[in-house]
Every structure is written in structure tokens, then in C-alpha cells.
Amino acid sequence: MTIGTAEPSGTYPLGGRPVFRLGYGAMQLAGPHVMGPPADRAEAVAVLRRAVELGVNHIDTSDYYGPHVVNELIREALHPYPEDLVLVTKVGARRTPEGGWPEALGAEELRSAVEDNLRNLGVDAIDVVNLRMPGFAAPEERSLAEPFEALARLQQEGLVKHLGVSNVTTQMLAEARSIAPVVCVQNHYNLVHRDDDPMIDALAREDIAYVPFFPLGGFTPLQSAALETVARRLETTPMQVALAWLLARSPNVLLIPGTSSVAHLEENMLASARELGPLELQELDRIGGTGEPDVDL
């Protein structure tokens, strides 16, 4: 049986530290609707440990997954953490008992969120904190100055090492960068949903990482006849092809596919070494894209 590892995906700096470009997103380790404990806690712990065994050194999380549940699982499974592991979290929302995600962008709310992450992960400082701005289908164009300034103050206090932004437009990113350095952008992007094509290229020129959330389509898996066709030709799965396409898209793209299954994790990791030829890339490129002009940051 072939075992995939993160190493063939190559590396890219995240917060000044090289990470393998194929990482892991921990959201799916919580219960249904990202609330409560997992149905199988032992399997959730096993997924995290197996990810690190396979070379993953970039784990994406948030204390509002559960809430608290996923960070507690990460601590149980991996603490004390490997020296090369980069933990990335996000703040900017809170959870309601009904499972809602209302924004929580006030200075005290953000401080509390960072402190919750520190406590539940068991660390003195978080490697990267992303400010997650509101909006689901697409970012809501609005100022992020006040919340990002609040996070910059927490960075100055030493509670946060590096800052990123999530669910932002090019204008919002520019505003954030005018306040403090940004090491990564985490936006909705995948083979089908490609509104951020110009932003990815602009970020690559600035040596800033781009981390797509929902790289495999989110709660509804990617559906594409062309994707299925390429996967059959290569005798692999559509999801491996979708991940391989993202790795080929640009060297600054870092992937954080999520799963609650060790078997599915191992399947995803095989994408690290999956190479797509010019014909496959051409076919896949035709699936999405907006044709928007290039941008400067």
C-alpha cells in the first residue's frame, strides 16, 4: 500500500517558518454542525497524531470549533508540540447554543478569544492568528481597522506571533497591511470557486501565503464532470486531483483539507505527490476562473 506524506508538496514560509504545503484543517473533528464532541474521540485523536506522523506541520484550528472541543483535542493528541509544528487559529466570531456564528469583533471579545485559544491549546503564544471577517458566500466589504488594530496590540504584548486575515477583499487586505504585517490570507477558493485568482498571484509576488478554505468544496463536495474525467484517467479520486490542482496553482498556496477519518486523511495525503500533466491542467483550468484582471496589493 502506498503511503503519502506531506513532504512531496514542498515548503513555503508561514510566519517566517517553512511548512509543508499540504497541512490539515481541524474543523471536522468537532461534532455535527461543528458543535460538541466528536462521535469517536479516539479516532479524532488518532487523526491528529497520524497527520503529524505523515509530516504535517501546519494545523488550522479555532477555539470556536466545538466551541473549545477541537483545541482541547489538539492539546490532548499532540502536546508537547513538535518544534516544527505551526498552529494557526482564527478569531472574530463566537458560537451560540443553537450553533450560530455571530461576529465578535470588539477589542475585548478578540482578547478573550485569543486567551481561550492560548489556554485550550496550552501555549504561551499563538503562531498565527487570522482575523475572520463576516460573510459566508463572499466577503462583506467593510473596514477591519478596529479589530485588526486590537489584534496588533495583542501581538505587541507577545500573545500572538504573526497575523493573518480571512474572508477579505483586496481592499480589506490593503487596510490590514497598513496596520501590521500580514503573513497569510485565508479565503474561499477551490477548483470551481476561483474569484481570488488575481489575489493569489498578487500575494505570490509579495511572498504572502494564501490558504484556501473549503479546498474540496466545503459541506458539499466539489461536483464537476471534467474533474471526474481526469480522476478516472489518472486512476485516482476527484478529491486528490482537486488538491493536486491547488498545489500546482501557485507556490504560495497552502492546503488545509479536513477530515475526521484516518483513512480519508491518508487518501488526501497521496495528493502531495500527485503530478498533473499539461493536458490535465488545461482541462481543469477550464472549470473555473473569472477572467478578472490582475491586481496589485
Side-chain angles (χ1 to χ4, degrees):
M1 176 182 173
T2 302
I3 300 295
T5 70
E7 186 173 359
S9 66
T11 63
Y12 194 82
L14 181 59
R17 295 165 62 187
V19 297
F20 290 123
R21 294 179 59 215
L22 187 53
Y24 174 72
M27 182 176 73
Q28 293 185 31
L29 294 181
H33 310 294
V34 203
M35 289 291 287
D40 188 337
R41 188 178 185 90
E43 177 76 357
V45 169
V47 167
L48 288 161
R49 290 177 176 165
R50 185 61 171 150
V52 170
E53 286 174 359
L54 295 176
V56 167
N57 56 6
H58 168 204
I59 293 179
D60 181 85
T61 185
S62 176
D63 207 61
Y64 52 61
Y65 295 163
H68 316 308
V69 169
V70 169
N71 279 353
E72 291 168 352
L73 284 167
I74 292 172
R75 183 174 184 174
E76 176 184 339
L78 302 176
H79 195 278
Y81 300 113
E83 289 186 6
D84 67 337
L85 181 63
V86 175
L87 291 172
V88 180
T89 192
K90 62 188 70 63
V91 295
R94 60 182 176 83
R95 302 305 301 278
T96 67
E98 298 75 30
W101 306 77
E103 67 181 64
L105 297 170
E108 288 308 310
E109 291 174 307
L110 293 169
R111 177 178 290 276
S112 177
V114 168
E115 290 173 348
D116 285 346
N117 278 278
L118 290 168
R119 180 178 61 256
N120 291 315
L121 288 170
V123 295
D124 296 325
I126 301 169
D127 295 317
V128 182
V129 171
N130 285 316
L131 175 65
R132 176 63 156 82
M133 293 299 290
F136 185 76
E140 298 176 3
E141 188 73 64
R142 58 188 282 187
S143 174
L144 51 62
E146 288 190 16
F148 203 70
E149 287 169 355
L151 286 184
R153 289 192 292 270
L154 296 176
Q155 183 184 32
Q156 292 164 5
E157 292 178 27
L159 302 181
V160 176
K161 295 179 183 178
H162 300 279
L163 298 175
V165 287
S166 178
N167 207 35
V168 297
T169 65
T170 300
Q171 291 75 18
M172 295 164 75
L173 170 60
E175 184 179 40
R177 295 183 72 201
S178 73
I179 296 166
V182 170
V183 300
C184 61
V185 174
Q186 190 176 111
N187 273 7
H188 184 190
Y189 183 85
N190 54 48
L191 180 62
V192 174
H193 188 278
R194 293 178 52 187
D195 292 351
D196 271 1
D197 272 333
M199 181 187 285
I200 290 173
D201 295 332
L203 289 170
R205 293 193 293 270
E206 299 285 333
D207 297 321
I208 297 173
Y210 182 93
V211 187
F213 64 74
F214 296 156
L216 297 176
F219 299 107
T220 302
L222 291 174
Q223 301 292 324
S224 165
L227 179 59
E228 297 277 353
T229 298
V230 171
R232 283 195 300 271
R233 185 189 310 144
L234 298 179
E235 298 182 341
T236 186
T237 68
M239 297 303 98
Q240 282 188 31
V241 172
L243 291 174
W245 180 86
L246 285 166
L247 288 172
R249 170 62 183 81
S250 181
N252 66 322
V253 171
L254 305 180
L255 302 188
I256 49 169
T259 179
S260 57
S261 157
V262 170
H264 187 207
L265 170 75
E266 292 177 344
E267 184 177 292
N268 285 342
M269 296 303 292
L270 290 170
S272 178
R274 177 70 64 185
E275 293 188 10
L276 302 175
L279 175 62
E280 287 77 31
L281 289 172
Q282 186 178 47
E283 292 178 57
L284 296 169
D285 283 343
R286 286 199 291 263
I287 295 173
T290 63
E292 292 182 2
D294 202 0
V295 299
D296 290 317
L297 300 181

